Amino acid sequence: MAKVTVGFQVMPNGKDMDTHGVIPEIVEVVKESGLKYEVGPMETVVEGKLDDVFSLIKQAQQVGIDAGASEVMTNVKIHYRPEGVSIENKSK
């Protein structure tokens, strides 16, 4: 499958939990993934094979659970083209 770009937002939630401290940990998982990425104020955009991107999102959700969240809400947007799409394509 061609490369896709995926915008995602992970929102851990838990009683008496400081969720702001979890976001830097999630960004660290994105950095360590080896996928090309851009962190924005509302979402993170990554580029790669869909299976690799979904694996990363699962890891990001687990960071929230490991930090004490009782649930994690995740918004995902996928941009797919048969010939592939890159982050650079989106800024043209």
Side-chain angles (χ1 to χ4, degrees):
M1 176 179 243
K3 284 185 182 176
V4 298
T5 56
V6 175
F8 72 100
Q9 178 187 47
V10 176
M11 298 167 290
N13 187 29
K15 185 176 181 181
D16 300 325
M17 180 184 180
D18 176 18
T19 58
H20 298 292
V22 178
I23 303 305
E25 293 180 39
I26 292 172
V27 171
E28 192 59 35
V29 168
V30 172
K31 289 178 181 179
E32 292 173 357
S33 73
L35 297 175
K36 187 169 190 170
Y37 69 93
E38 288 186 9
V39 177
M42 297 296 291
E43 68 180 5
T44 297
V45 178
V46 294
E47 173 186 315
K49 293 180 181 176
L50 191 58
D51 288 342
D52 295 337
V53 174
F54 278 158
S55 177
L56 169 60
I57 292 170
K58 287 171 57 177
Q59 291 173 28
Q61 290 178 315
Q62 191 60 47
V63 168
I65 296 300
D66 292 346
S70 57
E71 61 184 8
V72 178
M73 301 286 288
T74 304
N75 293 316
V76 178
K77 295 184 283 188
I78 302 168
H79 186 177
Y80 167 77
R81 289 185 194 148
E83 66 274 12
V85 62
S86 69
I87 290 174
E88 285 84 22
N89 293 139
K90 301 186 89 48
S91 59
K92 290 181 181 179

